[in-house]
Structures are given as structure tokens and as C-alpha cells.
Amino acid sequence: MKKWLLGLLIIGAGVGFYAQPWKTSTSPVKTADKNRPPQAVMVMPAYATPLQDSIEALGNAMANESVDITPPTTATITGIHFKDGQSVKQDDVLVVFKQQQEQAELAATHAQVKVHQSELTRLQNLLQHQAASQREVDERVAALETAKQSRQQIQARLDDLTLRAPFSGVLGLRQFSVGARVSPGQVITHLDDLQQMKVNFTLPSAQLMHVKSGTVFTASSNLLGAQIFTGKVTAIDSRIDVSSGSFMVRGIIQNPQQILKPGLLLRITLQQPARHAIIVAEEAVIQRQQNHFVFVVQDDNRVAQKNLVIGTRQPGLIEVLDGLNLGDRVIVRGMGAVKVGDQVSIQQQITQLSELNSSPENIRDQNNPSPHPL
């Protein structure tokens, strides 16, 4: 019995020995947490600014007017009156085909018209003296009209054998030489009006109410560097494509220097009317699944969390549709170690996004070691 009591005393002494150091070791930690200085943070007040939404699409440039120069009938080329890539005016002669036979027939009909006209004049004089009948006069009138119709038909054939520019523009490369026999459908060259360029592009049906005739847009191409071209919407298709849920838009771009070429892929940007929006720095917004929130510093310098409904994004900025008021001091640096209810020290307050690049390194590196995912 004495040995059993002695064992209990030894075990109790051991437990007391190990329990005492654990108790004394936790006290300094609690004291340190309580005496920890306020966290240093950088804030940027939420502010309002004009904001424009943009609608982007892709489209191919087309000549304002474009036509293939091709013969109306099978014929032999006897003259080419243009050079590759030449600018021409409307009605300039481009190609002449063999037309000797038509010229001879035209000369014959001219002679026939002249003879019939002279004979009609003679018969009309005789009719006044009752030396000719009305029937003879009528027959001569009919013959004269027939000859004139034949002359017009031959002249029309001659016109078809002389190809003229239907409008002013720039010619392409010619595909045939003098002496070649060409048929309808064979393209000798093409003619494009490049002073204005058309562009067709599609937009989702959700944008139907945001686009109308006269809406201004800009166009650019990776092949043309930083050059920006301005155009206007001229027409909107009357139908929405059922399979894609999109509709076709046509615009016109002025191209006086003829920099744009048909077939060039263009990036189209349509700007919506400006609106006033509340903006915060993108770096301050924290995303957890589908939720977005920020930490703000209240008047007593304590941290509060505000949930956001966000809108459009711009480089470095996010629009806030709901959840913030103008002037709310949003923590943009140093939020990595703060919790709701903590008291903080505002080390720097900025008003422009560019000031983030010159923020104190201790806020950037020590207090916010890992960025929040967006």
C-alpha cells in the first residue's frame, strides 16, 4: 500500500512539472498579440469617372464599288488602254475588241438611212402635188425607221466591243494581252472604288438596341500598325440569324489615301455613350468563387468588408455597380495580413492608379506577400 501511494505522488509531481512550463510559455504570446502595432496599409478612395463600354467585332474591308471587267460576247482583243494598277475615271476606254465587221455594217446602214430619207423627202413633195400616193409615202417612212433600228442595233454591238470604266476607281492586274480571244465570264481585270471602304461585321443580338445608323466606330488592323480609321454605320440587316443569334452591320470608312485594301481583316470597336461609374483599383478586389469583396478602412481606422457587384473592367480598374459609396477608403496594399475588425494605420493614401507603382516596399512585400486571385 505504501508503494502504491508513493507511485501516485511521483506521477503527480511529474505532471505538475510539465504543466507549469506550458502555462508560462503561452502568456507572452497573448501579450504580444494584444500589444501588436496597427497594420500599415495603403488606401485608394473609390471615385467616380466617365466610363464608356466598347463593342468589338471583326470584319473584312470591301471596296465601295467593285466590278470584274469581262467581255459581253466572245471576241478578240485589239487594244488595251490601261496599265496595271492605273487609276481611271468613269467612261474611260479600257479594252477594245475586233469590230471591223460591225464598222462596215454600220457604214452600210448609214447609207441606207440617207437614201431612205432622201426618197421620203421626194415623195412628200410629190404628194403635195398629188403626183404620189400616201401609201408610197408610208412605205418609205417604214423603210426609213427599219434602217434606223438596224443602225442602233449595230451601234449597240459596237458599244459592247468597247469596254469603258463604269465608275472612277483603281484597276487591278490585267490577265490577257492584245490578240487574245476571250469569252463571257473570263476576267480581264477588276475595278475597285477605294475612296470609301465598306465593312460588314456581325454583333450579338443583345447589342441590337445599342447600334443604329450613324453610330461611329473605329477600325484597325494588325498589318497597319497603330493606324486608326473612323467610320459610320450605314445599315443594319433586317434579320437576326437564328443559328448564331447575331445580326449583320454594314459601315463605311473614308479611305482617301487608299491605305485600306479589299479583303483586309479589320478589328471594329464601337463606343457606347459615356456614363458616370464608381471605380476601384483592380488590385484591391478579392474574388472567392463567384463573390467579390474589398476591405475598407472606416472612420475609426478599423477594417470592414464590403461585398461588391462589379461591372466592366479597364486596365487596372474595375467598375462597382453596388456595394461601395464614393470616397470609401479601399485597401489596395497591405490587406494580406488584416482581418475584419483589425485596427490599421494608413501609411499612404493615393488618388491615381499610377501611384501604385511607387508604393512603399514594406507594404507591397511584407504585408501582402501573395496577390488575391481575380
Side-chain angles (χ1 to χ4, degrees):
M1 177 63 71
K2 292 181 179 180
K3 292 181 179 181
W4 181 76
L5 291 175
L6 182 60
L8 287 177
L9 290 174
I10 294 173
I11 293 173
V15 171
F17 175 79
Y18 285 104
Q20 185 65 26
W22 173 82
K23 181 178 180 181
T24 57
S25 64
T26 58
S27 297
V29 174
K30 290 184 177 179
T31 303
D33 289 341
K34 187 178 295 185
N35 296 331
R36 186 180 63 179
Q39 176 74 27
V41 297
M42 175 190 292
V43 298
M44 181 177 181
Y47 65 95
T49 186
L51 192 64
Q52 279 186 302
D53 291 329
S54 61
I55 305 173
E56 294 189 349
L58 293 176
N60 290 100
M62 302 181 297
N64 184 44
E65 300 291 348
S66 181
V67 67
D68 291 332
I69 305 300
T70 183
T73 184
T74 301
T76 301
I77 298 175
T78 59
I80 295 178
H81 299 269
F82 68 90
K83 296 180 179 179
D84 294 343
Q86 178 182 341
S87 296
V88 295
K89 299 294 184 181
Q90 185 176 5
D91 291 331
D92 282 354
V93 175
L94 303 179
V95 182
V96 176
F97 298 100
K98 184 178 181 181
Q99 48 189 246
Q100 285 86 347
Q101 180 178 349
E102 287 75 12
Q103 292 286 359
E105 292 176 356
L106 182 63
T109 55
H110 274 307
Q112 290 178 0
V113 169
K114 186 176 181 180
V115 169
H116 289 309
Q117 183 65 60
S118 176
E119 186 64 19
L120 177 60
T121 302
R122 187 183 69 82
L123 290 174
Q124 287 173 338
N125 291 332
L126 292 176
L127 181 61
Q128 292 177 357
H129 297 88
Q130 297 181 353
S133 64
Q134 183 64 44
R135 180 180 177 179
E136 291 177 315
V137 173
D138 293 341
E139 289 176 350
R140 189 58 63 176
V141 169
L144 177 60
E145 289 301 320
T146 300
K148 288 182 178 180
Q149 290 295 329
S150 297
R151 183 176 62 181
Q152 291 179 359
Q153 291 176 357
I154 297 172
Q155 186 61 56
R157 286 159 52 192
L158 281 171
D159 292 340
D160 288 343
L161 293 174
T162 301
L163 299 184
R164 299 177 181 272
F167 51 82
S168 299
V170 179
L171 293 166
L173 306 178
R174 64 183 178 95
Q175 305 299 321
F176 294 93
S177 302
V178 173
R181 188 169 179 82
V182 292
S183 302
Q186 291 183 297
V187 179
I188 300 173
T189 188
H190 55 261
L191 175 65
D192 295 316
D193 175 11
L194 303 180
Q195 293 298 313
Q196 292 181 331
M197 300 296 291
K198 294 177 182 176
V199 58
N200 290 347
F201 53 94
T202 58
L203 294 176
S205 56
Q207 304 296 340
L208 184 60
M209 300 303 296
H210 300 150
V211 181
K212 60 182 180 180
S213 181
T215 298
V216 177
F217 63 85
T218 58
S220 61
S221 173
N222 292 336
L223 299 179
L224 300 178
Q227 295 188 74
I228 302 295
F229 304 86
T230 302
K232 287 185 178 181
V233 173
T234 57
I236 298 174
D237 199 357
S238 60
R239 298 182 179 181
I240 296 177
D241 186 86
V242 177
S243 60
S244 64
S246 60
F247 62 98
M248 183 72 71
V249 180
R250 171 168 292 179
I252 288 289
I253 303 172
Q254 300 300 321
N255 189 37
Q257 297 180 347
Q258 300 181 7
I259 298 175
L260 297 176
K261 302 297 183 183
L264 187 66
L265 181 64
L266 298 177
R267 183 184 299 107
I268 308 299
T269 303
L270 296 93
Q271 295 292 341
Q272 298 300 297
R275 67 182 187 281
H276 285 281
I278 297 179
I279 296 296
V280 295
E282 184 178 24
E283 187 173 337
V285 180
I286 305 169
Q287 180 177 349
R288 292 290 183 267
Q289 296 180 352
Q290 302 301 320
N291 300 318
H292 300 81
F293 61 89
V294 293
F295 290 124
V296 298
V297 179
Q298 302 180 108
D299 293 339
D300 59 357
N301 281 355
R302 292 196 178 275
V303 177
Q305 176 181 315
K306 289 195 174 184
N307 297 324
L308 306 181
V309 178
I310 67 172
T312 60
R313 297 172 183 254
Q314 289 189 351
L317 299 173
I318 293 181
E319 177 189 12
V320 178
L321 302 178
D322 189 26
L324 276 184
N325 297 318
L326 287 176
D328 282 350
R329 298 181 296 179
V330 179
I331 299 178
V332 293
R333 293 276 170 82
M335 80 281 282
V338 301
K339 299 183 295 294
V340 174
D342 284 355
Q343 190 168 18
V344 295
S345 172
I346 298 178
Q347 182 168 342
Q348 185 178 3
Q349 177 169 311
I350 63 173
T351 57
Q352 297 181 1
L353 191 64
S354 58
E355 297 179 46
L356 282 175
N357 297 327
S358 58
S359 64
E361 290 300 322
N362 65 322
I363 295 180
R364 181 197 298 266
D365 298 329
Q366 298 175 13
N367 296 337
N368 191 19
S370 60
H372 295 282
L374 276 177

